[in-house]
Amino acid sequence: MHEPDDDAWLLEHSRVLGERIRTERTDRHITQERLHLGAGISRDVLQRIESGRHNPTLYTLLRIARVLDVPLADLVR
């Protein structure tokens, strides 16, 4: 059953996920270019993920985690 707050919850968690990816990337001094090329996604998609405006697939998240050299669980906790 879809609850009215479901969309807000999803949007908030997408935003937090994007912030974690951006933080991990900048803490490791990895540019957006290096991450998007290494993960095999477009720069636009990476920018939308980092801003919480894109719903990445598990496959994409795994590729991002690999480039960042972090466990996937650290990004999605």
Side-chain angles (χ1 to χ4, degrees):
M1 175 184 261
H2 181 76
E3 306 236 352
D5 291 337
D6 286 350
D7 291 337
W9 184 89
L10 289 170
L11 289 172
E12 176 62 16
H13 281 77
S14 290
R15 186 189 62 74
V16 170
L17 172 64
E19 286 178 2
R20 284 190 186 123
I21 290 170
R22 182 183 305 117
T23 298
E24 294 291 343
R25 179 178 60 75
T26 57
D27 285 354
R28 288 167 172 69
H29 307 287
I30 294 174
T31 63
Q32 280 189 337
E33 182 171 5
R34 183 169 153 209
L35 181 54
H36 89 81
L37 290 173
I41 59 176
S42 72
R43 186 180 203 137
D44 179 61
V45 167
L46 176 59
Q47 289 171 337
R48 289 185 299 157
I49 291 170
E50 287 189 350
S51 67
R53 296 180 291 123
H54 184 77
N55 182 17
T57 65
L58 177 59
Y59 187 72
T60 297
L61 290 174
L62 286 166
R63 293 169 102 186
I64 289 171
R66 179 181 49 85
V67 174
L68 294 175
D69 194 29
V70 298
L72 178 62
D74 287 357
L75 297 179
V76 297
R77 63 181 154 80

